[in-house]
Amino acid sequence: MIPRLLNKTLHWYRIALAMRRLKRVDSPTRRHAQQTLALLLADSRGLAMKIGQVMAGSADNNAFQTLVTSIEPLPLSAVQNSLGKPLVQALQAIEESVAAASLGQVHRALLHNGTEVAIKIRYPGIVGSIKAELKLSAWLPSVGPLKRWQFNVNDYKTILHRQLLRETDYRLEMHTQQRFQQTLSVPGLFIPPVYPEFCSEAVLVQAWATGSRFSEACTWSKQHRLEIGRTLLMLLWQSLFVHGEVHGDPHPGNYLFRLNPQGNAETVLLDYGCTVVVAPPRRLALLKLMDAYHSGQPIDAFRCFVAMGFNAEKLAHLQVKMPGLCQILLRPFLSPRPFQMQEWQLSTSLQALLGEQRWWFRAAGPADLMLLLRAFHGVSQQLAQLDVALPWWPLLQNVVGQELLAQARAFELPPVSADDSLSANSHSHAQRLCIRMTEHGNTVIAMDLPAETAADLESIIPLSVREQIVAATTVDIAGLSRRVQREGIVPQELFSVELGQQHCRVWLE
Amino acid sequence: MDFVISVIHPVADFAEATAFLCDTLGFQCQQATAEAVIVDNGSLAVRLVPAKDAVQSSLHLELHSQNLALTTDALLSLPNVSLITRDITISPQRLESRIQGPQGIVIIVAQAFNEDELEIMPPLPMSLLWDDDAEQCVKQMLRLTPLGFREAARTRITEQAEMLAGEEAAITVTIANAVRALAEVTPAFQHPALVSALQQHGIEPAPHFNGMAQ
């Protein structure tokens, strides 16, 4: 048992190292690093593979795609004990699996009544393994500046843990799939019906569905690509705004595409293990914001985001930039023409507007928003790959209808305390890190850097200067960075030292 | 930032070159010295300098004309001028003649043809699918739009019709979307003319104009 645990721990440690490496490398070596990480993640079922699938997103051309499409299934004999008696009695034939995923695998089968079904069987022992790995996953590195921007890491962990454990119970997935099937009405969408009488915590039985993979659908005619794009967008709007529950797992393995008897493209949506529930006030606030920006009506975007669950204190750092931020985020909805995804340039635009401060936006967002953003991002990627332009706002309007729009317009945004909205100003977040070095009264070095760089002073002060400071003074540069991370990036004198004929002063303003 | 202030053309005879540029092509002489003559027509300055060798370099000047034949004939009637090529089709949209003037000056007379002269209807900048009758309707109505506004109108009407289709969750623009877009994009005081033009093309616009100022 102990060697196994050690092996697991070592495996996670290697994954952590590979993730760090992936983050640091430049594009020529990035693909190799991706492949290394993908191999490590694929080396075990469960949590590691799940992480790899999230990293794969819906792009078809990265190394993590192997985790989506080519995982080796277990033989039927290894999983068949999970099938319940009613199902075994109803089965006429069952095939070996050709589709394995992180938590289970799918077998094609035929019932005695002639119905073709897909049986998803959970891997034996996977729940225990997931629980153990969730404990070990604390070893994963804090990818990105989680600390510096005060990310609530515990919230993220809680969401991840809750979601993964939820995904291991196929009865919950069965109920979700039934709910989606009963409530959603989107042109071109097909949700396979489930057979509750054969389902259990470890087995999900649904109608067998066939179709092409997304990469193949991207080569179809413009009409069919437009139909698929419309279905994907309307699915997102309807599930988010009308029903308040969004399919949160947009990787390509969860979609099949086919033509119906009328010759129109049909999207088959699979796997309802990961969904995001969005409470009415949050979705009404988002719709209110979209509507106001589309119609050019004045709106307090800050309060809308707070109503969506954003942390007011962190978001307050961006208060003056909110109008510009909304223009970027809502751009497809504001377009007077069908929107071509290549026009968006979302990351570049956000970087240009916010610079390092974009991390405040990410840190301010509620942890469960991560799954919703993943759904949004998935659809955006899919539309870009389909290479179709669609009219976002008219389609949204069609989906939500006038009544819900009116409800959103009338929705009273909850008040934001003056403390919250002003906290950033009262703490007056520093704008610049200033470094000045003088010699005989003459300035020899004058640098103004983004204030956020103060959280990593060691990397910006040359080694030779650091050595002089260490030798001649009691200034603890690493300690100063830690203090800034801990107490916030507020205006302050960091240090001022004499180094022989030179004077070095570093401060935040 | 550096920028071009004149084109330098070496010539053997200042007087002949200056006379052709000023008397025939409408340039103004700005400065004349023994070292250089500068002529200018408001958008182009030519600096004539003495040629240092016997080889004559060329100065190509392009002249746009609404009537290539007439302009070519007028230029050929001038002294010291000869035809190089006549009525060469460069592309369906452009026809050229080349005329040799004095002192290495070559005049390219060009005539560009617009979509009406070419009797073509450029495609609509479509993102969605369009029913044939919707596409033809918009193209025919665009024919009636003054050329100067037509390109902007083409884009605006196409976009509007596609947004209207989107409101119905459709990916195909119908004749109803197209007529409605025409009505929304056309200024209200021109609606009677639009209605009449549509009717002449066998389209009954009334249902699509409901609720709109006419």
Side-chain angles (χ1 to χ4, degrees):
Chain A
M1 182 67 192
I2 289 175
R4 198 174 153 202
L5 188 66
L6 274 174
N7 267 341
K8 283 252 178 212
T9 308
L10 196 61
H11 190 65
W12 276 105
Y13 181 67
R14 286 199 197 104
I15 289 170
L17 280 179
M19 286 177 86
R20 273 184 194 278
R21 220 171 290 134
L22 179 61
K23 190 171 152 36
R24 286 174 185 166
V25 294
D26 49 14
S27 52
T29 46
R30 193 173 182 83
R31 188 159 175 84
H32 180 257
Q34 276 186 343
Q35 284 166 344
T36 307
L37 182 55
L39 280 173
L40 280 166
L41 293 173
D43 204 26
S44 63
R45 289 173 167 78
L47 179 59
M49 191 185 286
K50 198 81 202 165
I51 290 170
Q53 287 176 344
V54 171
M55 293 173 92
S58 52
D60 264 346
N61 56 354
N62 68 49
F64 302 110
Q65 276 308 315
T66 51
L67 299 174
V68 176
T69 54
S70 58
I71 299 157
E72 201 58 40
L74 298 174
L76 176 62
S77 56
V79 295
Q80 66 186 4
N81 284 346
S82 303
L83 303 177
K85 198 174 170 188
L87 178 57
V88 172
Q89 285 173 344
L91 277 178
Q92 187 184 119
I94 181 165
E95 296 176 4
E96 287 290 345
S97 172
V98 289
S102 50
L103 308 177
Q105 60 187 37
V106 178
H107 294 259
R108 184 180 187 170
L110 186 66
L111 303 183
H112 283 301
N113 63 10
T115 308
E116 264 197 302
V117 293
I119 304 176
K120 185 155 87 166
I121 308 174
R122 198 176 65 188
Y123 298 128
I126 194 75
V127 179
S129 172
I130 286 275
K131 283 178 181 167
E133 287 182 354
L134 282 172
K135 283 178 191 163
L136 288 173
S137 67
W139 283 66
L140 276 172
S142 298
V143 179
L146 297 183
K147 260 188 195 169
R148 193 193 303 177
W149 302 96
Q150 300 163 34
F151 273 84
N152 195 337
V153 181
N154 285 337
D155 275 3
Y156 279 86
K157 279 185 182 165
T158 306
I159 293 284
L160 176 71
H161 289 202
R162 194 193 305 150
Q163 187 56 45
L164 266 168
L165 292 175
R166 200 170 156 254
E167 282 188 54
T168 58
D169 188 344
Y170 287 171
R171 279 173 310 194
L172 293 175
E173 183 173 342
M174 177 199 76
H175 289 307
T176 308
Q177 189 161 340
Q178 282 181 311
R179 212 163 42 243
F180 269 67
Q181 202 198 14
Q182 284 157 10
T183 54
L184 287 180
S185 168
V186 175
L189 178 69
F190 178 76
I191 298 172
V194 289
Y195 298 95
E197 64 272 31
F198 302 131
C199 295
S200 67
E201 197 184 323
V203 175
L204 179 77
V205 183
Q206 62 182 342
W208 179 257
T210 55
S212 302
R213 290 277 177 189
F214 183 67
S215 54
E216 194 187 326
C218 288
T219 65
W220 289 0
S221 70
K222 182 178 176 182
Q223 179 197 330
H224 294 140
R225 286 183 286 119
L226 278 167
E227 285 169 346
I228 292 169
R230 175 185 57 179
T231 300
L232 295 172
L233 261 189
M234 292 179 78
L235 165 65
L236 181 59
W237 303 151
Q238 196 176 104
S239 44
L240 170 60
F241 291 113
V242 181
H243 302 296
E245 186 174 14
V246 176
H247 188 285
D249 198 356
H251 78 72
N254 289 342
Y255 298 85
L256 292 172
F257 302 92
R258 61 192 189 187
L259 299 185
N260 67 14
Q262 291 75 41
N264 300 117
E266 200 166 62
T267 302
V268 181
L269 184 62
L270 305 167
D271 199 339
Y272 295 79
C274 175
T275 58
V276 198
V277 174
V278 186
R282 292 169 81 174
R283 51 192 209 241
L284 284 174
L286 176 58
L287 190 55
K288 186 183 182 82
L289 180 73
M290 288 170 157
D291 178 56
Y293 265 78
H294 179 264
S295 59
Q297 296 297 313
I299 185 142
D300 187 340
F302 178 80
R303 283 177 65 197
C304 285
F305 276 100
V306 174
M308 282 183 249
F310 278 68
N311 178 294
E313 196 176 342
K314 291 176 190 167
L315 198 63
H317 292 289
L318 306 175
Q319 205 165 1
V320 292
K321 293 183 177 172
M322 290 307 282
L325 182 61
C326 292
Q327 288 285 346
I328 293 170
L329 295 174
L330 302 179
R331 198 170 157 206
F333 299 95
L334 310 182
S335 171
R337 66 187 70 90
F339 189 71
Q340 189 68 250
M341 296 306 294
Q342 285 78 358
E343 290 174 32
W344 206 352
Q345 306 287 330
L346 184 60
S347 302
T348 315
S349 306
L350 287 177
Q351 169 71 31
L353 176 74
L354 302 177
E356 283 285 288
Q357 282 192 310
R358 70 189 185 283
W359 290 104
W360 277 129
F361 184 68
R362 296 192 185 178
D368 57 352
L369 190 76
M370 173 181 68
L371 292 171
L372 189 57
L373 286 178
R374 197 176 150 214
F376 262 88
H377 189 240
V379 172
S380 304
Q381 279 189 319
Q382 285 165 329
L383 290 178
Q385 287 173 267
L386 286 167
D387 192 23
V388 289
L390 285 159
W392 282 47
W393 179 258
L395 284 177
L396 173 68
Q397 233 178 341
N398 180 280
V399 168
V400 299
Q402 287 307 315
E403 198 179 322
L404 189 54
L405 263 179
Q407 211 181 322
R409 283 173 194 144
F411 175 66
E412 289 283 342
L413 293 167
V416 175
S417 78
D419 286 351
D420 281 337
S421 62
L422 295 172
S423 61
N425 296 331
S426 60
H427 286 139
S428 60
H429 183 75
Q431 296 297 311
R432 282 182 297 278
L433 173 72
C434 305
I435 301 174
R436 297 288 182 276
M437 206 149 184
T438 55
E439 194 171 318
H440 304 300
N442 299 319
T443 303
V444 290
I445 293 175
M447 281 198 297
D448 285 353
L449 300 166
E452 288 72 25
T453 48
D456 193 9
L457 283 171
E458 281 180 301
S459 68
I460 53 166
I461 297 178
L463 181 62
S464 57
V465 178
R466 285 209 315 267
E467 285 171 350
Q468 285 184 61
I469 292 173
V470 170
T473 72
T474 56
V475 173
D476 173 10
I477 293 175
L480 280 172
S481 289
R482 282 197 299 275
R483 195 183 80 200
V484 168
Q485 285 174 23
R486 198 173 53 244
E487 295 171 6
I489 303 167
V490 295
Q492 59 184 293
E493 184 86 12
L494 290 171
F495 63 85
S496 176
V497 294
E498 299 293 339
L499 303 168
Q501 300 298 317
Q502 296 176 324
H503 177 81
C504 178
R505 182 180 170 224
V506 178
W507 75 98
L508 279 163
E509 68 172 32
Chain B
M1 169 96 184
D2 298 329
F3 54 93
V4 175
I5 57 169
S6 65
V7 176
I8 295 173
H9 180 51
V11 292
D13 186 337
F14 273 178
E16 189 180 37
T18 308
F20 185 73
L21 288 168
C22 294
D23 301 344
T24 308
L25 299 179
F27 280 76
Q28 300 281 319
C29 183
Q30 302 297 343
Q31 191 183 325
T33 65
E35 288 78 34
V37 173
I38 299 172
V39 296
D40 181 294
N41 74 347
S43 59
L44 174 70
V46 180
R47 185 184 177 91
L48 301 171
V49 296
K52 289 193 174 143
D53 50 43
V55 181
Q56 176 66 64
S57 61
S58 294
L59 173 67
H60 287 77
L61 298 173
E62 188 170 305
L63 204 91
H64 278 234
S65 167
Q66 294 299 315
N67 188 326
L68 184 66
L70 211 64
T71 308
T72 306
D73 288 343
L75 284 167
L76 287 173
S77 68
L78 298 168
N80 299 325
V81 162
S82 60
L83 183 69
I84 303 171
T85 54
R86 182 163 194 145
D87 297 352
I88 302 294
T89 303
I90 304 300
S91 71
Q93 287 81 30
R94 184 182 165 100
L95 205 60
E96 276 184 17
S97 291
R98 287 180 179 236
I99 290 163
Q100 181 67 64
Q103 300 297 316
I105 299 168
V106 174
I107 299 169
I108 301 166
V109 188
Q111 183 171 0
F113 299 100
N114 62 41
E115 58 188 72
D116 287 345
E117 288 163 331
L118 292 167
E119 294 188 359
I120 56 163
M121 285 192 279
L124 303 178
M126 302 183 289
S127 298
L128 303 184
L129 307 173
W130 282 61
D131 283 341
D132 282 347
D133 54 351
E135 186 179 352
Q136 290 311 315
C137 168
V138 171
K139 283 182 171 177
Q140 282 161 356
M141 294 305 110
L142 283 168
R143 271 285 169 83
L144 308 174
T145 308
L147 206 53
F149 302 101
R150 197 178 299 166
E151 193 52 46
R154 192 180 345 261
T155 304
R156 186 79 191 88
I157 292 165
T158 307
E159 288 173 357
Q160 188 61 15
E162 295 193 334
M163 295 304 264
L164 290 169
E167 285 178 10
E168 297 160 10
I171 55 163
T172 303
V173 175
T174 61
I175 182 77
N177 302 138
V179 175
R180 177 89 188 178
L182 282 162
E184 288 184 5
V185 171
T186 305
F189 74 91
Q190 288 180 331
H191 278 188
L194 176 63
V195 169
S196 164
L198 286 167
Q199 283 169 337
Q200 278 174 25
H201 284 89
I203 298 162
E204 183 44 62
H208 315 300
F209 274 64
N210 283 346
M212 294 194 65
Q214 286 191 44

